[in-house]
Amino acid sequence: MTVAFLFPGQGAQSTGLLHRLPQHAEVSRTIEEASRILGLDVAALDNAEALRSTAAVQEALLIAGVATARALMAEHVRPAAVAGMSIGAFGAAVVCGTLPFEDALPLVRLRGELMESAFPTGFGLAAVEGLDEIRVEGIVERIRTPELPIYISNINATQQIVVAGSDPALTAVIAQAREQGARHTQRLAVSVPSHCPLLQPIADRLTQAMATLNLKTPSMPYVSNRGGRALYDAEAIRQDLATSIAHPVRWYSALEVIRELGATVFIEMAPGNVSTHLVAELLPGVRAVSIADQGLREATVVGARETNL
C-alpha cells in the first residue's frame, strides 16, 4: 500500500466550497450527476444561506469529496485505503465501491435533515486541545446531568478531543478544561451534538433506511469511524455508516491503522485540511497533502510518484 484518501468531516465547509473545486472533467461530471440525482442545482448548496443547513453542508461535503477523489483517480492516483471523518465516511464508502453515489446522496440528505430537525438550536461541538481523553472524560462526567447533556464525540489525537452537547454544558466544559491547563478550546462550526448517544434515534432511522440498499464488497480497506479499524465487508461498513453517528469517532486510531496497513502518503479531499495537519503532526515519516491547500496538481504529482514506486 502507498496512497490513502481521507475525506473531511463537517466543520471543513466554507462559503463557495464547490465553486473552488479544481477545474477537472471529473469534477464537472460529478456536480452534474449530483444535480440530476437530487433534482436541484447543487452549485447553490455552498452559498452562505444554504450552509446554515446541516443537510446542505453534508451534501456539499460529500459531493466535494467524491469529485476530487474521482479527479485524482482519473489522473492514475488510486487509493489503497480510504477513511472519512464523520460525514466523510460516506464519501469513503462511495470511492471504495461499497455505496453507490446515487444512494449516498439522498441518504446523506436524510441524515442531515434528521440531525437538523432533532437539534435545531442550543447544541453543538467544542474542541479541547492539551488534555488527554481520560482527563476530558472526567470533566464531562462531572458536568453531565439530564439538564446538561455532554459527551466525548471525537478523539482526533491523543490530546485533541471534541465534546458534544448542549450550549451550557459546552460552556462549562470549556471553562473547566481551561482551568485544568488546556492549551486551546474552541466551539466548532457544527450546530448538532454529533457522535454521541443523543443521536441514537437518528442512528436507528439510518439503519432502517440503509437496510434495503445493495452494498458491495469494498475494493480496498475502508477504515471505520466507530472502531477505528479496517473493514473489508459490506455489512460491517453498512453498520458503521448507519450507527457511528451515535458513537465517538476514533479518528486518531483510524489514521494509525492506515499507516500500519502501509500507507506512506495521505491525500485529503477538498475542502478539508484538518486531517492533513494531524497526519503531519502525529505520524512521522508519512507525507500528507491537502487538495484544498496544495491543489490537485501537487496531490497528483505526489500520489502518482508513490503509486508508481
Side-chain angles (χ1 to χ4, degrees), residues 155-219:
I155 300 92
N156 291 336
T158 54
Q159 294 198 357
Q160 187 182 115
I161 312 298
V162 178
V163 294
S166 67
D167 288 343
L170 292 170
T171 299
V173 166
I174 287 172
Q176 288 199 23
R178 289 174 178 169
E179 289 177 2
Q180 293 195 25
R183 65 175 177 267
H184 181 68
T185 59
Q186 179 183 354
R187 283 293 301 264
L188 302 181
V190 180
S191 58
V192 293
S194 304
H195 297 286
C196 76
L198 294 172
L199 274 70
Q200 185 58 51
I202 295 174
D204 294 340
R205 288 284 304 278
L206 290 174
T207 298
Q208 294 173 359
M210 294 191 68
T212 58
L213 296 183
N214 182 24
L215 304 190
K216 297 180 180 179
T217 301
S219 59

Side-chain angles (χ1 to χ4, degrees), residues 77-90:
V77 179
R78 295 192 171 272
V82 293
M85 180 186 287
S86 189
I87 187 60
F90 289 82

